[in-house]
Amino acid sequence: MDYFFESSGLIYNRPAKVEVDEPYMEYQEPSGFQVIEALLFDEDPAGHRKALLEQAELLISSAADLNSLLYSFDGKDEEILESIRLELLKVITLGITGYDAPELKTGISEAYQSIDIIKKVLTPYLSSAENTDGKLSLSLSSTLAYLKVHTNFDQFDRMEFLTIYALPLQEKLGNFIRERGLEANYKSILNYKASHIFSPDALPASAFNDVSAADLGKGKHADEMKVTLGKRLFAEKILSGNLKRSCISCHNPAKYFSDGLKTSLAFNEESFVKRNAPTLLYAGFQYAQFWDGRVKTLAGQIKEVIANPSEMNGEHKVIVASLKKNAGYQIAFQQSFPAAADPLNMNNLAEALAAYLSTLSPRNSAFDRYMAGDRSAMNKQQLNGFNLFMGKGQCGSCHFAPLFNGLIPPLYKRTEFEVLGTPANADFDRLVPDQDAGRFGFFPISYYQGAFKTPTVRNTAKTAPYMHNGAFEDLEKVVEFYNQGGGAGLRLEVPGQTLSAKPLNLSKKEVQEIVAFMESLTDNLNTVSNTLPQVR
């Protein structure tokens, strides 16, 4: 349903929150099983009798028309196999996190059903004379056997399941499809040639923004020169109106491309900007820039930051004129944009910076090394933390694998926004409501009031303070905020909160373990020091 009849499939299992389909701004009313679950587990389920009956009737009437979808339906082998590939990916990234059933906690039993269906759909292919190795059949059977025995959602060992069963199964399925010449990608941005979703090459940076658009196909050398130019521009103070600030002012490589402040120092060096400066590591792997997502690409964000009176306060024409006086920059722009008649311009400047930022994805943390096969890279506390993050703590149902940001699996074509009810202060006994309207300030739709982009938690241990306003000074406070049910759970008035207001009931030990896992997501920037700009 999700693959072949996406709009129809949404009727049955749309998230239990209002969503707006951008850019067409089509309103999507919550419906289906997730809505029923939310109503049933509310404090007064009987009070939702009418709504529950309406949802049941919607599902019954919709199901009665399912056969009509198959009228003149003609699914190709390549499409069927891609749908299976994506279904397995949903199990890996969403199913075991409880994304579809956070209250029922049936994610593990549903994962079993999904793998069982995958096996059934693959049966004609597995039975063919061409299939002689049996490796895929064996992997499917062992994965099902594991899921049948280990059914407790909170105690499920997700790391063991992924590394021993699910990821090897994903790799074998990919090889099986490829060997038969049936590989096709009609739906996702994924690189299907990657071994599995945690492989560094699974998500291609080029899929997320317009980097290299101006010189597409002009040669590898030009792209390399563009990255080198962007690295140089990152530390260039000519980009600011007072010739004192550069990108490094708020995104210091020594501080994991953040600045350690609640909110960054403004251009006037007296006041502060509205929001916290997030790390630029992995910034290229998303479809929305800034906390409110008002710009889609890195290049667009760069131009806006440079021109913003509170940030760089640079005038585009003045910047271009100043750079043209520098022979070194003239040569660098010509080499980076060989097809352009007048290569030194603001669009190319932004693209060069974006090309550089798109390289800031080291993927060499202890977690990455563990997923690559080094079983000594993570300790027991960190492994427990991963299992909690992806399970009981429900962190992985918004911070999606593999980048642990708001990039939604399995297609990875949309960046998520959430209303958390983040306060303006960190005193849970005397909370002060935050006045930042979030995405509502850009899209004045009520459901966006207080909505912010879900950032990556990679390298988060190095980028305190946290949240869009820098309200929380340490990760323990952040996890405890979620543990209490966000702002609404802490008795703030947040009518549109998309985060469940119910407590997670994490113990102090479990909170510490989740923090330990997030610490395992810290990259070693010393190994990529040659790509870091020098502070001038």
Side-chain angles (χ1 to χ4, degrees):
M1 288 285 292
D2 282 346
Y3 186 91
F4 290 103
F5 311 107
E6 184 178 358
S7 59
S8 298
L10 286 172
I11 294 172
Y12 301 94
N13 201 33
R14 184 170 286 158
K17 65 175 185 177
V18 172
E19 292 190 333
V20 179
D21 184 17
E22 298 177 19
Y24 307 107
M25 308 313 294
E26 179 182 345
Y27 172 83
Q28 296 181 347
E29 181 72 32
S31 65
F33 293 115
Q34 292 188 54
V35 174
I36 290 174
E37 181 201 35
L39 295 173
L40 284 174
F41 280 83
D42 191 62
E43 293 180 358
D44 180 25
H48 298 300
R49 177 182 174 84
K50 180 181 178 182
L52 284 164
L53 289 172
E54 289 174 348
Q55 289 295 322
E57 177 58 33
L58 173 65
L59 293 181
I60 292 169
S61 60
S62 299
D65 292 332
L66 279 176
N67 285 339
S68 65
L69 294 175
L70 299 178
Y71 180 74
S72 298
F73 172 73
D74 183 21
K76 297 184 294 186
D77 284 337
E78 291 89 340
E79 293 175 306
I80 292 170
L81 290 172
E82 186 183 21
S83 73
I84 291 303
R85 164 179 251 153
L86 293 173
E87 180 63 21
L88 175 57
L89 189 55
K90 285 179 69 176
V91 170
I92 291 170
T93 58
L94 299 176
I96 62 174
T97 71
Y99 179 80
D100 283 335
E103 301 282 3
L104 286 166
K105 295 192 174 184
T106 53
I108 308 307
S109 59
E110 289 184 16
Y112 176 91
Q113 296 296 333
S114 293
I115 302 297
D116 189 46
I117 291 296
I118 288 174
K119 186 176 182 180
K120 285 183 171 65
V121 175
L122 284 172
T123 297
Y125 303 95
L126 293 168
S127 301
S128 69
E130 296 175 7
N131 180 39
T132 57
D133 55 29
K135 291 180 180 179
L136 180 56
S137 295
L138 182 62
S139 187
L140 283 164
S141 297
S142 62
T143 302
L144 284 168
Y146 185 87
L147 289 168
K148 190 171 185 178
V149 173
H150 303 86
T151 58
N152 186 291
F153 182 84
D154 286 347
Q155 296 176 10
F156 188 73
D157 192 333
R158 288 156 178 82
M159 185 61 85
E160 181 177 71
F161 171 69
L162 289 175
T163 55
I164 298 178
Y165 300 96
L167 298 183
L169 174 57
Q170 187 185 13
E171 184 171 5
K172 289 181 177 66
L173 177 60
N175 291 338
F176 180 86
I177 295 171
R178 196 173 304 115
E179 287 167 2
R180 281 145 189 82
L182 295 173
E183 187 165 76
N185 191 335
Y186 298 113
K187 292 284 186 175
S188 81
I189 61 94
L190 291 166
N191 171 23
Y192 287 156
K193 290 181 172 57
S195 296
H196 54 71
I197 190 58
F198 289 100
S199 300
D201 58 343
L203 295 172
S206 58
F208 294 91
N209 51 63
D210 55 0
V211 170
S212 300
D215 273 322
L216 188 62
K218 297 300 180 183
K220 184 177 179 181
H221 176 70
D223 287 337
E224 291 174 347
M225 294 301 297
K226 198 178 300 181
V227 170
T228 301
L229 172 60
K231 172 184 171 182
R232 182 179 175 186
L233 289 168
F234 194 83
E236 182 54 73
K237 294 179 180 178
I238 288 176
L239 305 188
S240 66
N242 59 7
L243 305 182
K244 294 181 180 180
R245 294 165 69 89
S246 69
C247 302
I248 290 175
S249 300
C250 298
H251 300 283
N252 192 333
K255 297 181 178 180
Y256 279 72
F257 291 87
S258 62
D259 61 9
L261 302 174
K262 287 186 65 174
T263 61
S264 299
L265 190 66
F267 178 80
N268 61 17
E269 298 184 346
E270 296 177 0
S271 59
F272 294 87
V273 300
K274 188 176 183 179
R275 294 171 183 152
N276 177 266
T279 179
L280 293 181
L281 293 164
Y282 306 98
F285 294 83
Q286 53 192 352
Y287 297 103
Q289 302 295 336
F290 296 112
W291 280 101
D292 57 13
R294 64 185 182 272
V295 174
K296 295 298 182 184
T297 66
L298 282 171
Q301 180 191 42
I302 288 161
K303 287 188 283 187
E304 184 167 326
V305 168
I306 289 174
N308 191 316
S310 297
E311 297 184 74
M312 301 283 279
N313 196 30
E315 187 177 340
H316 289 180
K317 290 182 179 179
V318 173
I319 291 169
V320 170
S322 298
L323 292 175
K324 284 186 173 180
K325 295 177 181 178
N326 185 306
Y329 273 123
Q330 288 187 41
I331 295 171
F333 272 89
Q334 288 169 358
Q335 293 174 329
S336 301
F337 302 92
D342 184 14
L344 208 167
N345 57 60
M346 203 63 201
N347 287 336
N348 288 348
L349 182 151
E351 186 178 328
L353 273 166
Y356 167 65
L357 295 182
S358 293
T359 67
L360 298 180
S361 55
R363 296 291 291 271
N364 65 7
S365 68
F367 171 80
D368 294 305
R369 298 197 304 276
Y370 190 96
M371 300 309 282
D374 180 1
R375 298 296 182 255
S376 65
M378 294 175 70
N379 60 38
K380 183 173 178 55
Q381 186 185 33
Q382 292 168 334
L383 292 171
N384 289 343
F386 172 79
N387 288 326
L388 288 163
F389 185 98
M390 296 289 281
K392 180 181 178 181
Q394 298 183 15
C395 316
S397 61
C398 286
H399 294 276
F400 304 109
L403 295 183
F404 303 106
N405 62 1
L407 195 61
I408 305 174
L411 305 182
Y412 295 98
K413 287 187 173 181
R414 190 159 63 90
T415 293
E416 188 173 65
F417 297 86
E418 297 285 351
V419 180
L420 307 176
T422 305
N425 65 332
D427 186 348
F428 289 171
D429 295 322
R430 298 178 180 81
L431 286 182
V432 177
D434 186 67
Q435 300 303 312
D436 193 333
R439 191 159 176 75
F440 180 84
F442 175 57
F443 270 139
I445 301 173
S446 60
Y447 318 113
Y448 281 151
Q449 182 67 47
F452 294 92
K453 181 181 65 178
T454 301
T456 181
V457 294
R458 283 179 173 269
N459 297 297
T460 193
K462 297 290 187 180
T463 57
Y466 304 104
M467 317 307 275
H468 69 275
N469 54 8
F472 301 146
E473 293 184 357
D474 56 62
L475 286 173
E476 287 80 4
K477 197 75 173 182
V478 174
V479 178
E480 188 57 34
F481 173 72
Y482 288 101
N483 192 25
Q484 297 294 328
L490 288 163
R491 300 174 301 281
L492 279 181
E493 190 69 27
V494 193
Q497 183 168 306
T498 54
L499 174 72
S500 173
K502 295 181 179 179
L504 297 170
N505 297 314
L506 297 170
S507 67
K508 289 185 178 179
K509 177 177 178 290
E510 289 173 328
V511 169
Q512 289 296 324
E513 287 173 335
I514 291 175
V515 170
F517 162 64
M518 288 192 283
E519 290 171 347
S520 79
L521 292 171
T522 302
D523 287 311
N524 180 3
L525 297 190
N526 291 329
T527 64
V528 292
S529 58
N530 62 316
T531 69
L532 302 182
Q534 299 299 313
V535 180
R536 296 182 183 178

